[in-house]
Amino acid sequence: MAASLAGSGEDAFRRIFKFYKGRQPPPDFNLHIYISRSSSANDWCVFLLSDVEGARVGLRPLRDWRAFSLQGYPGFIFISNPFRMDCQAFWIRQCLKTYTQKPNVCNLDLHMSPSDTQDIWGKREPKTLLERLRWVTLGYHYNWDTKTYSASHHTPFPADLHSLSLHITAACGFPEFNAQAGILNYYHSDSSLGIHVDESELDHSCPLLSFSFGQSAIFLLGGIRRQDSPIAMYMHSGDVMVMSGQSRLLYHAVPRILPALWGHTAEKMEACSLVPSLQDTTVVEPVSQEDWMVCSRYLQSSRLNVTVRQVLGPGQCFPETPSSHQRTDKITDGEYGKRKRSSSCDC
């Protein structure tokens, strides 16, 4: 497929990105590669954590995780929905309600006052304002203009998300991972994320962690050059990706949002997600019926993506004059050219 789509005058990644993004005529989604080579947790899990600790953050026992790797992409790990079905709703609610409150930085597609931002989840037009949400930053807040982080632009990273991230990364061989920054992207049916590399973090030896919730998406994973042809795969609700080692700085993109293809719809999660079955959990909490009604309505046509990163290595400090990173692309809504913001934020 890559050979037939790549032409002279345009790199292969761009050509394939346009192919999957195109709507007239629509692409043949049977061409997608869904990773199918799996291994048990005993084969790949490096630093075993107890199942009790995993249950505290809403994860299944490690023996039930299905992990995938790709030949030729060292350090890339795809974990097919390790979440308990009765706990996905909690993380969805956190992304839509808890993490969108001050002091986090929210961006809507319209310029709005702080009071409007606080009312995203309030009684005044909750649906309208929530649908306008585009991104939120956590911890070290990303500067979209300079494409840098700084010590002066920082709020405490959410403890619950830190615990979840540590459990995933430790199982993948990174027990010292320190979640310092997070970027939440809110996708709608006509959204896409352009070709880019996540390189703004000062320490690239640490993995990049990505969580997906809601509608499905097409993910393109390329090489170290834009000319390298990417492979395509589905991302479904609950899927987790870890980009580490040589895969940490590969080009990637999200050209298309698709209806949930394998049953992970808001309606199917609703019946079993409102009250976690764990009685002694300290992280995952029950989601009220009122909150879940808002969440499920949003997920009917939208996707959430959370990327978590470690910005600084041990003993590392921010430079006095941060440099700008330019190997990024744009997130867009609708037709080509309707640019919303600079971004290097999705995995």
Side-chain angles (χ1 to χ4, degrees), residues 191-203:
S191 299
S192 64
L193 182 73
I195 307 164
H196 70 281
V197 174
D198 293 285
E199 62 176 1
S200 296
E201 295 71 36
L202 275 66
D203 187 346

Side-chain angles (χ1 to χ4, degrees), residues 215-234:
Q215 296 298 301
S216 299
I218 300 301
F219 178 73
L220 299 179
L221 179 64
I224 60 174
R225 305 176 305 160
R226 288 181 65 105
Q227 293 80 8
D228 297 331
S229 297
I231 60 171
M233 64 192 80
Y234 287 122

Side-chain angles (χ1 to χ4, degrees), residues 85-98 121 269-270 272-277 283-296:
M85 279 299 292
D86 55 356
C87 295
Q88 265 203 60
F90 169 78
W91 293 108
I92 293 169
R93 193 276 308 275
Q94 294 298 89
C95 293
L96 288 175
K97 183 176 183 179
T98 305
W121 204 267
M269 284 192 289
E270 182 175 7
C272 56
S273 297
L274 295 178
V275 181
S277 60
V283 175
V284 176
E285 301 173 348
V287 177
S288 69
Q289 181 72 37
E290 181 181 3
D291 280 358
W292 185 245
M293 287 180 61
V294 178
C295 292
S296 61

Side-chain angles (χ1 to χ4, degrees), residues 82-324:
F83 291 93
R84 297 167 55 103
M85 279 299 292
D86 55 356
C87 295
Q88 265 203 60
F90 169 78
W91 293 108
I92 293 169
R93 193 276 308 275
Q94 294 298 89
C95 293
L96 288 175
K97 183 176 183 179
T98 305
Y99 301 152
T100 58
Q101 304 303 311
K102 284 186 174 182
N104 302 324
V105 178
C106 303
N107 181 34
L108 305 171
D109 60 354
L110 299 176
H111 295 290
M112 308 192 77
S113 67
S115 61
D116 288 328
T117 303
Q118 288 180 316
D119 283 340
I120 286 177
W121 204 267
K123 296 181 179 180
R124 185 161 61 90
E125 296 186 285
K127 179 179 179 180
T128 302
L129 291 177
L130 191 63
E131 289 178 345
R132 295 178 184 176
L133 185 64
R134 290 297 179 263
W135 55 262
V136 168
T137 60
L138 306 169
Y140 287 114
H141 299 293
Y142 190 68
N143 187 316
W144 305 106
D145 296 324
T146 63
K147 299 180 176 62
T148 59
Y149 301 93
S150 70
S152 60
H153 199 193
H154 175 267
T155 54
F157 192 88
D160 53 6
L161 185 56
H162 185 282
S163 298
L164 174 65
S165 302
L166 179 59
H167 193 90
I168 297 284
T169 53
C172 296
F174 300 91
E176 303 300 326
F177 180 78
N178 184 16
Q180 297 175 327
I183 302 178
L184 283 65
N185 271 334
Y186 301 84
Y187 292 84
H188 303 291
S189 58
D190 59 350
S191 299
S192 64
L193 182 73
I195 307 164
H196 70 281
V197 174
D198 293 285
E199 62 176 1
S200 296
E201 295 71 36
L202 275 66
D203 187 346
H204 295 156
S205 66
C206 301
L208 180 72
L209 186 61
S210 172
F211 302 95
S212 294
F213 299 107
Q215 296 298 301
S216 299
I218 300 301
F219 178 73
L220 299 179
L221 179 64
I224 60 174
R225 305 176 305 160
R226 288 181 65 105
Q227 293 80 8
D228 297 331
S229 297
I231 60 171
M233 64 192 80
Y234 287 122
M235 289 189 296
H236 299 301
S237 186
D239 288 347
V240 179
M241 290 195 298
V242 178
M243 297 178 71
S244 65
Q246 296 182 30
S247 74
R248 175 63 178 80
L249 296 176
L250 297 182
Y251 279 98
H252 52 279
V254 178
R256 191 72 171 264
I257 306 301
L258 298 170
L261 300 178
W262 61 308
H264 270 245
T265 61
E267 293 80 4
K268 292 200 174 185
M269 284 192 289
E270 182 175 7
C272 56
S273 297
L274 295 178
V275 181
S277 60
L278 304 171
Q279 300 300 318
D280 57 351
T281 181
T282 59
V283 175
V284 176
E285 301 173 348
V287 177
S288 69
Q289 181 72 37
E290 181 181 3
D291 280 358
W292 185 245
M293 287 180 61
V294 178
C295 292
S296 61
R297 181 173 58 191
Y298 180 86
L299 294 179
Q300 289 176 5
S301 61
S302 302
R303 169 181 175 254
L304 307 171
N305 178 257
V306 186
T307 55
V308 179
R309 316 95 188 286
Q310 180 170 334
V311 179
L312 301 171
Q316 198 171 21
C317 299
F318 287 103
E320 293 184 3
T321 305
S323 59
S324 177

